[in-house]
């Protein structure tokens, strides 16, 4: 039996140990080392440091060996659009490679439930790497896109913190071009920067949380876009009650600690307020009976009503339900600042403080134990930095006016929506380019092999909402077209409105059907709400775990331990 065959029969841990021993006992010759580095540079990926090149060549040679003449589709992002399209692509035709700073997909409709312990965090997560899918994965940030050579520069993010929390700003904000160049050179030498080639590129990097530049919000508010956010919220709720239970805490401090503010009256803000009310009424009231009368939940919104995507009758039902449950909704209110410390105190962010001060234009300063911010989306900085200019015209370039493949003496850039900052695509979800000519005319083009999906994109001529439903439908449509190879012959994408739902607490919900369909409220809507999210869960593992945790928490109560 050949040594390689005997080695293949060993367990994976022993195979790694054996290969390590073989490399130690038999070092590469200088010629062999040069050959390996050469393969790293000319292959599909490379790094710029000697040792790093060696390691990356070993990794990407395995990726190339599995390619089998299939087209490589690189997918940036692991959200609703990226995860859906990666799983739906035909593995016989395409090699799907996901690049994302997080190694999982977050099932966002269940985040509010996980933030209060109704469900455990794992039920809202699906790993990118599994035994059941043929999807390759690199954990990193897409740093730069070379459309001409179909190459992406990736910065690894395996050990970087913050991947599981909401993005609220550019992670490289304030960095000069010189410092950025020096940092990239240093990262390349350490093996933290490498290139990956593609045949087709799908950009689905999503959006960041919108703060409107409100002072203190980025630093002190809680967000609810990822599993890490839900964990922080859960710990903060329990910390507020534990601090309020201390004998050294005054009643005035207890009122401030247990005063919870939610900024934003959309579905996320309303559902979290309902889930927070449930845990306080059903569990914390029994554990801290002497503190419940101090607790208060307030929803702030600048609009005249909450849940604007629902019709007037259903939105009013939500407001009436919250009023009966003691949740205050304050519309036409404007938050101006969030800072650490109680009203009237002067503390820095580094000082020890247990409460915050929320400054509201209409009512002044308010002592707050926690602020959850849910006011919409802002554009991902990747769009502005990596997708702004097209430095060299790629081969898949196609003008919509004039010679189809002649870029002319024009400077081309990605077409961006002026209001939202989102990338504009055609009806087949392909990236659109625009060039400003000397005669003030605007010449447009598309890139046939670059697609943009999800919250970071807007389809020209359509006003679809930036929701998970739209992102998932775009991803499914694109995967189907690529699998069949008929993207040029069929009609463009059209969104099918499947309706919208919102949980109101105490086993009540809202359901509004798509199109001209009517709405449902109350207990029946809650049953449909739970059933819909259970069936939409991806894996059978979570389809089993979710009802199990619902049953456990109904029988024994939510887990209120902090970890």
């Amino acid at each position: 039996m050949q040594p390689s065959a005997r080695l293949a029969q060993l367990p994976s841990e022993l195979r790694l140990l054996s290969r390590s021993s073989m490399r130690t006992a038999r070092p590469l010759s200088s010629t062999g080392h040069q050959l390996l580095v050469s393969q790293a540079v000319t292959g599909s990926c490379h790094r710029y440091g000697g040792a790093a090149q060696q390691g990356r060549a070993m990794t990407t040679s395995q990726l190339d060996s599995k390619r089998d003449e299939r087209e490589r589709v690189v997918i940036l992002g692991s959200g609703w659009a990226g995860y859906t399209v990666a799983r739906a692509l035909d593995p016989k035709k395409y090699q799907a490679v996901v690049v994302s700073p997080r190694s999982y997909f977050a099932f966002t409709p269940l985040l509010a439930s996980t933030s209060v312990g109704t469900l455990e965090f794992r039920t809202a997560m699906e790993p990118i790497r599994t035994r059941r899918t043929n999807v390759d994965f690199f954990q990193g940030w897409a740093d730069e896109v070379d459309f001409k050579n179909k190459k992406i520069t990736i910065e690894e993010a395996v050990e970087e913190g913050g991947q599981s929390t909401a993005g609220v700003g550019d992670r490289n904000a304030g960095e000069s071009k010189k410092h950025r160049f020096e940092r990239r050179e240093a990262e390349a030498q350490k093996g933290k920067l490498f290139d990956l080639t593609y045949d087709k590129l799908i950009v689905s990097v999503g959006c960041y949380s919108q703060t409107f530049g409100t002072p203190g919000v980025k630093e002190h508010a809680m967000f609810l876009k990822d599993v890490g956010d839900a964990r922080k919220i859960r710990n903060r709720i329990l910390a507020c009650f534990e601090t309020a239970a201390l004998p050294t805490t005054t009643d005035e401090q207890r009122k401030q600690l247990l005063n919870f503010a939610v900024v934003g009256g959309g579905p996320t803000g309303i559902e979290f307020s309902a889930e927070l009310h449930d845990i306080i009424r059903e569990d914390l009231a029994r554990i801290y009976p002497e503190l419940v009368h101090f607790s208060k939940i307030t929803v702030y919104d600048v609009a005249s009503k909450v849940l604007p995507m629902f019709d007037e009758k259903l939105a009013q039902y939500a407001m009436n339900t919250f009023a009966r449950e003691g949740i205050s909704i304050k519309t036409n209110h404007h938050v101006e600042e969030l800072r650490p410390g109680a009203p009237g105190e002067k503390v820095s962010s580094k000082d020890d403080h247990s409460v915050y001060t929320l400054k509201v234009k209409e009512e002044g300063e308010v002592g707050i134990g926690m602020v959850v911010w849910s006011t919409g989306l802002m554009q991902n900085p990747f769009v502005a930095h990596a997708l702004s200019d097209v430095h060299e015209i790629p081969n898949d370039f196609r003008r919509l006016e004039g010679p189809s493949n002649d870029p002319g003496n024009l400077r081309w850039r990605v077409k961006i929506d002026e209001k939202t900052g989102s990338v504009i695509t055609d009806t087949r979800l392909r990236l659109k380019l625009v060039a400003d000519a000397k005669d003030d005319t605007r010449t447009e083009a598309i890139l046939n092999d670059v697609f943009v999906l999800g919250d970071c994109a807007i389809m020209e001529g359509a006003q679809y909402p930036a929701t998970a439903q739209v992102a998932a439908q775009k991803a499914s449509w694109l995967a189907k077209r690529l699998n069949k190879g008929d993207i040029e012959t069929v009609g463009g994408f059209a969104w099918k409105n499947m309706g919208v739902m919102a949980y109101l607490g105490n086993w009540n919900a809202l359901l509004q059907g798509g199109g001209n369909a009517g709405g449902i409220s109350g207990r029946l809507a809650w049953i449909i709400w739970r059933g819909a999210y259970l069936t939409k869960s991806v894996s059978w593992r979570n389809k089993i775990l979710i009802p199990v945790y619902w049953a456990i928490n109904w029988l024994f109560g939510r887990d209120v331990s902090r970890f």
Side-chain angles (χ1 to χ4, degrees), residues 35-47 53-54 57:
L35 177 59
L36 187 59
V37 173
S38 175
Q39 290 172 343
V41 174
T42 59
S44 62
C45 304
H46 72 273
R47 294 192 183 189
Q53 284 174 332
Q54 224 172 325

Side-chain angles (χ1 to χ4, degrees), residues 11 77 321 544:
T321 301
I544 296 171

Side-chain angles (χ1 to χ4, degrees), residues 66-137:
K66 296 189 297 180
R67 192 167 182 172
D68 296 329
E69 299 183 352
R70 297 174 296 169
E71 284 192 273
R72 176 176 293 161
V73 180
V74 174
I75 302 158
L76 304 183
S78 58
W80 280 94
Y83 184 70
T84 302
V85 74
R87 295 179 70 251
L89 284 174
D90 184 355
K92 296 180 180 178
K93 296 181 64 177
Y94 300 104
Q95 181 186 48
V97 183
V98 175
V99 177
S100 175
R102 67 182 189 187
S103 61
Y104 59 88
F105 159 71
F107 192 78
T108 50
L110 296 181
L111 289 180
S113 295
T114 64
S115 68
V116 298
T118 304
L119 292 172
E120 287 305 310
F121 302 110
R122 284 289 176 183
T123 61
M125 301 169 66
E126 299 285 353
I128 303 298
R129 294 184 185 271
T130 68
R131 296 181 297 176
R132 299 174 300 278
T133 58
N134 294 309
V135 177
D136 292 292
F137 174 71

Side-chain angles (χ1 to χ4, degrees), residues 9 34 394 441 444:
Q9 295 177 354
Q34 291 171 1
T441 60
E444 296 187 351

